[in-house]
Amino acid sequence: MTRRSVKIARIARNLVLGAAIATGFSGGAQAASLDIYVAPGGYHGGHQGDWRGGHGGRHYGDRICRPGEAVQKAFRQGMRRPGIERVTRREVVVTGRFRGHRAMLVFDRNSSRCRVLYSRGI
């Protein structure tokens, strides 16, 4: 089962349980019927069909600079053989070679686009 079908199954189960509890507590001997239809498209929460894209195409977890993104950005800036030196709460340090010499780039960990804080040798 895919994640979407598991999510739909959970929603349907919760609806059925809620209806059963509601009819049980309503008292009386009235019979209640419940029809549930799950559309082929599944459940869409938020503004996913909206042209604005909800969160601008990015999720809340993407607000930090990931080490892999920092390495890719260092490579695009001309650093050869970039590698992670260290990752702290505030920065990602990438070292490598630039025009035959050692180079270092320090990226801001708390920016979504890996802003360069400091560079040496580039």
Side-chain angles (χ1 to χ4, degrees):
M1 292 180 86
T2 63
R3 286 184 176 183
R4 175 176 273 170
S5 61
V6 169
K7 193 173 190 179
I8 292 171
R10 284 184 187 158
I11 291 170
R13 182 191 67 202
N14 289 340
L15 286 173
V16 170
L17 287 175
I21 290 172
T23 56
F25 287 123
S26 65
Q30 297 175 353
S33 66
L34 175 67
D35 295 330
I36 296 177
Y37 174 72
V38 178
Y43 172 75
H44 294 291
H47 295 283
Q48 294 187 10
D50 194 3
W51 65 272
R52 290 173 294 216
H55 299 293
R58 300 186 71 86
H59 300 284
Y60 286 115
D62 293 339
R63 288 184 178 172
I64 64 169
C65 174
R66 294 194 175 112
E69 294 174 16
V71 168
Q72 289 175 359
K73 186 168 183 177
F75 185 77
R76 286 194 309 266
Q77 290 184 359
M79 186 181 285
R80 300 294 175 220
R81 296 191 326 232
I84 301 296
E85 181 72 25
R86 69 178 173 271
V87 178
T88 64
R89 224 173 35 125
R90 296 181 180 183
E91 61 189 20
V92 178
V93 179
V94 178
T95 58
R97 310 288 286 181
F98 185 77
R99 295 185 180 177
H101 299 284
R102 292 177 56 195
M104 178 179 70
L105 284 170
V106 179
F107 296 97
D108 183 15
R109 178 111 164 115
N110 297 318
S111 68
S112 62
R113 296 183 179 179
C114 296
R115 186 171 56 101
V116 176
L117 295 177
Y118 174 77
S119 66
R120 184 177 70 195
I122 290 186

